[in-house]
Amino acid sequence: MTEIKKEEEKSLNFLEEIVQADLEAGKYKSILTRFPPEPNGYLHIGHSKSIILNFGLAQKYGGDTNLRFDDTNPVTEDTEYVDSIKEDISWLGYEWANELYASDYFEQIYQFAIKLIRDGLAYVDDSTSEEIAKLKGTPTEPGKASPYRDRSIEDNLRLFVEMRAGKYKDGEKVLRAKMDMASPNMLMRDPIIYRIKHAHHHRTGDKWCIYPMYDFAHGQSDSIEHITHSVCTLEFVSHRPLYDWFIEKLGIFPSRQYEFARLNLTYTVMSKRKLLQLVNENFVTGWDDPRMPTISGLRRRGYTPESLHVFAEKIGVQKRDNLIDMSLLEFCIREHLNKIALRRMVVFDPLKIVLTNYTEGEEFLQSENNPEDPGSGHRDIPFSRELVIEREDFMENPPKKFFRLSPGQKVRLKSAYIIQCDEVIKDAAGNITELKCSYIPGSKSGGDQSNIKVQATIHWVSIPHAITAEVRLYDRLFKVEDPANEEGDFKDYVNPDSLQVLPAAYAEPALKQAKFTEHYQFLRKGYFILDKTSSEEKMVFNRTVTLRDNWVKEQGKK
Ligand code: ATP
Ligand code: MG
């Protein structure tokens, strides 16, 4: 009950306001939205904003959402992309009412074009694209009519039918809508609505050699499906008059277009065309590389659908473009993983410790799986005479405020005993190879009777029980905040150190049972998930995110 109340109290975003007003005015019985990806790449986090918005609107107001593949460009599209898009939307937790393809409407859209020609509202133009561009004018000067603008309706019909029949080569002719060559909106100066393209289409094969342009396909598809609210990003504001013009002239269902700001994130790029270059030129290992801002990359990295929903909620829906800080996304995943991740100990850079006063053998210590989740239970951690700790947790000549291990100083081993460093062993070159330590017998966690106060608790792994795993640590994919807006090629700004591989970290044995579906917090190291390439022989973990935002701190130091 309180949940629902909260929901009502939250202020509506501007699209919710529009939908609510339309429903209250009785304009529609129920609403129908759509998510219209072009299957020319994998979805990225920007798309997730659009998905959550479109499906979210329908869910909130009891309507439906269609998944419509906007596949009117035969050259760049692929069924691999169709499959990945469906997987990503399902993963975000949504079910579409209908799976549709703009290419299924090619015949209907063709008939719309015939109607425009019959009504004297479209003509076949033989001009080259250069000639068309020349006559288009400039934002301050009106355009000039093409010499083909006043062709008879009969000629236009015959030529358009011939275009469809394959009589002409690519670029030889186009079909243009007769709008207004003097319009201040350049897009209204007789836009091209059909072009010739002798290309194989991923669904219609070689059936068509003419294809409708975006502006003569998108609104028409919306209208055919009776979409009530067609939500798109701001760059389409200037296309809205075309959208409305076609619907009005064709006298078809009056879908309406609304625009919101696209999501831009720091330290990455957000365009399929650019992401494709990163894949093709091997800057990353694939569309689902954990450094990619794709939904599949984020999933492989260990992001949860919940975290993307919270993120979308936090950034809201704006009418002005902006750049969102990547650390906000990281904040969202950290918050969620803190609640669900199982705690484990893994040592990345091992330094051996021998507890000289600990008798041979082992004992099992108990440690909570997740202090944030009392229901998560405990696990046993084997303890023995020989352990590894993190090399950086020891300093032979520590500065004043170093509270971890150093000669004569004590620390607590997490869920285990307090130890003290007695002797530092080095090799011939002077490298520290081992520490001889002693443990305090009465100091076991949970029943500590030692009365000794220590300043630090460090993680550790018992050597005879350890398993090894590869650990992959990721950094920003780009060195600059907004690579797409830097001078030169955005790829010049790729961060060469975005991946660090630790081939053999020491992990506590409970991780042998790690599951692909589970998230882990490696104590003091961050949140991790098994990579899809992980196997029983060779476990591989991806770091989803560090525990705290140390990026900002490190940048400050430079
Ligand atoms: P890209 O430039 O990455 O290829 P696009 O806009 O061409 O993006 P589409 O497949 O055409 O990609 O987009 C499907 C839907 O997702 C559209 O409604 C589009 O407006 C929306 N969308 C795409 N990118 C973003 C983004 N960064 N933020 C919000 N919505 C987006
Ligand atoms: Mg596009």
Side-chain angles (χ1 to χ4, degrees):
M1 196 56 211
T2 45
E3 277 294 318
I4 295 167
K5 188 98 193 290
K6 250 204 239 147
E7 187 67 30
E8 278 171 4
E9 279 167 5
K10 248 191 295 171
S11 65
L12 301 178
N13 68 46
F14 79 96
L15 291 167
E16 291 168 339
E17 278 172 5
I18 290 169
V19 169
Q20 191 149 317
D22 284 350
L23 288 172
E24 277 166 12
K27 207 162 156 189
Y28 310 105
K29 273 206 213 72
S30 65
I31 66 159
L32 182 60
T33 61
R34 88 287 172 259
F35 176 65
E38 189 182 344
N40 62 348
Y42 281 60
L43 297 181
H44 50 61
I45 178 142
H47 292 111
S48 79
K49 176 175 177 183
S50 174
I51 292 167
I52 291 170
L53 186 55
N54 278 299
F55 282 88
L57 271 177
Q59 259 178 6
K60 182 161 184 172
Y61 293 100
D64 275 315
T65 305
N66 284 345
L67 168 59
R68 184 202 317 140
F69 291 99
D70 194 357
D71 57 349
T72 54
N73 183 1
V75 188
T76 52
E77 295 158 2
D78 202 314
T79 34
E80 176 198 342
Y81 298 139
V82 168
D83 295 340
S84 75
I85 288 168
K86 290 199 283 189
E87 187 185 352
D88 289 348
I89 300 173
S90 300
W91 181 75
L92 282 171
Y94 294 116
E95 276 177 47
W96 45 91
N98 304 287
E99 177 184 333
L100 302 162
Y101 293 80
S103 57
D104 287 344
Y105 310 137
F106 279 167
E107 183 61 40
Q108 230 166 324
I109 295 172
Y110 174 81
Q111 294 304 332
F112 288 153
I114 296 279
K115 176 174 165 54
L116 287 186
I117 296 173
R118 287 221 164 95
D119 293 344
L121 293 171
Y123 60 97
V124 173
D125 196 334
D126 301 0
S127 312
T128 62
S129 51
E130 292 77 28
E131 287 162 348
I132 290 177
K134 224 181 202 169
L135 292 178
K136 198 114 206 211
T138 67
T140 50
E141 273 169 73
K144 292 196 190 75
S146 156
Y148 303 96
R149 197 171 200 260
D150 292 321
R151 267 184 165 144
S152 70
I153 290 175
E154 291 67 37
D155 281 352
N156 280 321
L157 275 177
R158 177 178 50 80
L159 290 166
F160 189 53
V161 170
E162 287 175 357
M163 277 169 65
R164 177 184 182 167
K167 192 164 172 193
Y168 305 108
K169 290 201 283 292
D170 288 10
E172 226 176 304
K173 290 186 176 9
V174 291
L175 184 71
R176 298 178 72 179
K178 209 183 253 190
M179 289 190 187
D180 178 4
M181 287 308 289
S183 172
N185 180 347
M186 299 274 288
L187 294 174
M188 297 287 280
R189 296 183 186 173
D190 291 10
I192 296 170
I193 58 174
Y194 261 94
R195 62 190 164 152
I196 301 170
K197 204 155 211 175
H198 292 270
H200 191 82
H201 185 279
H202 78 120
R203 296 193 80 217
T204 58
D206 297 314
K207 183 164 178 219
W208 292 88
C209 63
I210 55 171
Y211 291 94
M213 302 296 285
Y214 173 87
D215 286 314
F216 199 63
H218 202 91
Q220 287 64 18
S221 305
D222 284 343
S223 184
I224 289 167
E225 293 171 19
H226 287 205
I227 300 298
T228 54
H229 299 79
S230 176
V231 178
C232 62
T233 39
L234 282 178
E235 66 273 24
F236 291 101
V237 167
S238 54
H239 294 250
R240 193 183 339 123
L242 284 77
Y243 186 103
D244 293 339
W245 192 94
F246 288 126
I247 283 179
E248 186 204 321
K249 301 297 182 208
L250 293 169
I252 52 180
F253 180 85
S255 300
R256 287 283 169 259
Q257 175 184 304
Y258 302 92
E259 308 87 10
F260 71 100
R262 59 194 298 130
L263 167 67
N264 297 302
L265 261 190
T266 55
Y267 299 102
T268 192
V269 290
M270 203 73 87
S271 125
K272 283 177 280 179
R273 199 176 47 79
K274 290 199 175 73
L275 296 173
L276 179 64
Q277 289 180 49
L278 294 176
V279 173
N280 285 345
E281 298 172 37
N282 298 315
F283 286 97
V284 293
T285 55
W287 284 98
D288 69 346
D289 186 299
R291 291 164 292 182
M292 290 281 267
T294 50
I295 297 180
S296 50
L298 291 167
R299 177 167 61 235
R300 186 170 167 194
R301 174 95 169 239
Y303 276 75
T304 58
E306 290 86 344
S307 67
L308 298 192
H309 283 270
V310 170
F311 177 66
E313 180 68 34
K314 283 197 191 296
I315 58 178
V317 184
Q318 304 86 2
K319 284 199 229 180
R320 215 178 307 148
D321 277 321
N322 55 3
L323 187 61
I324 302 284
D325 207 309
M326 181 71 100
S327 53
L328 179 62
L329 179 63
E330 292 175 345
F331 171 81
C332 295
I333 185 62
R334 225 177 253 128
E335 291 272 287
H336 188 218
L337 293 182
N338 183 40
K339 292 190 204 119
I340 64 166
L342 300 175
R343 273 54 171 174
R344 297 291 183 261
M345 293 201 281
V346 179
V347 171
F348 287 5
D349 184 11
L351 174 59
K352 183 176 172 186
I353 287 202
V354 178
L355 299 177
T356 50
N357 62 340
Y358 192 85
T359 43
E360 296 289 343
E362 60 180 14
E363 68 179 296
F364 289 92
L365 305 167
Q366 282 222 317
S367 193
E368 58 221 319
N369 277 320
N370 182 356
E372 301 288 320
D373 175 8
S376 65
H378 288 72
R379 69 191 190 283
D380 285 336
I381 311 177
F383 188 79
S384 72
R385 194 167 186 266
E386 296 193 343
L387 316 168
V388 281
I389 62 165
E390 214 65 69
R391 195 165 275 274
E392 64 179 16
D393 283 336
F394 174 77
M395 278 185 99
E396 194 175 9
N397 300 298
K400 253 211 169 107
K401 290 210 164 145
F402 186 81
F403 296 123
R404 289 167 277 167
L405 201 58
S406 59
Q409 188 156 301
K410 294 185 180 66
V411 288
R412 172 170 296 284
L413 296 177
K414 171 71 183 167
S415 299
Y417 297 94
I418 293 173
I419 63 165
Q420 170 176 315
C421 174
D422 302 321
E423 191 186 347
V424 181
I425 312 288
K426 295 179 184 174
D427 63 12
N431 302 309
I432 300 172
T433 53
E434 187 180 313
L435 303 176
K436 301 260 186 241
C437 301
S438 46
Y439 84 111
I440 314 294
S443 68
K444 193 152 128 182
S445 291
D448 184 2
Q449 291 150 7
S450 69
N451 266 330
I452 300 172
K453 291 264 169 295
V454 289
Q455 301 266 30
T457 299
I458 63 174
H459 64 281
W460 54 275
V461 172
S462 159
I463 294 175
H465 304 92
I467 58 170
T468 55
E470 179 174 307
V471 171
R472 298 180 184 169
L473 308 176
Y474 301 99
D475 199 349
R476 309 285 195 232
L477 186 50
F478 287 91
K479 292 179 289 188
V480 294
E481 276 205 344
D482 195 4
N485 284 316
E486 290 285 341
E487 237 171 71
D489 189 353
F490 76 99
K491 286 174 290 192
D492 295 344
Y493 300 92
V494 168
N495 175 6
D497 304 317
S498 59
L499 169 63
Q500 187 193 350
V501 178
L502 308 177
Y506 280 66
E508 64 165 279
L511 277 170
K512 193 79 206 153
Q513 277 85 50
K515 296 194 192 81
F516 284 97
T517 49
E518 241 160 17
H519 298 267
Y520 301 94
Q521 183 193 100
F522 294 176
L523 293 186
R524 303 169 68 218
K525 291 295 180 188
Y527 293 100
F528 291 80
I529 191 159
L530 276 182
D531 186 63
K532 69 171 189 185
T533 61
S534 187
S535 65
E536 264 189 44
E537 294 72 51
K538 187 186 168 202
M539 296 188 106
V540 180
F541 287 94
N542 291 321
R543 178 154 69 189
T544 312
V545 68
T546 55
L547 288 181
R548 251 167 261 104
D549 186 2
N550 41 29
W551 172 257
V552 177
K553 258 192 300 183
E554 278 181 30
Q555 285 299 295
K557 271 192 243 158
K558 281 181 192 164

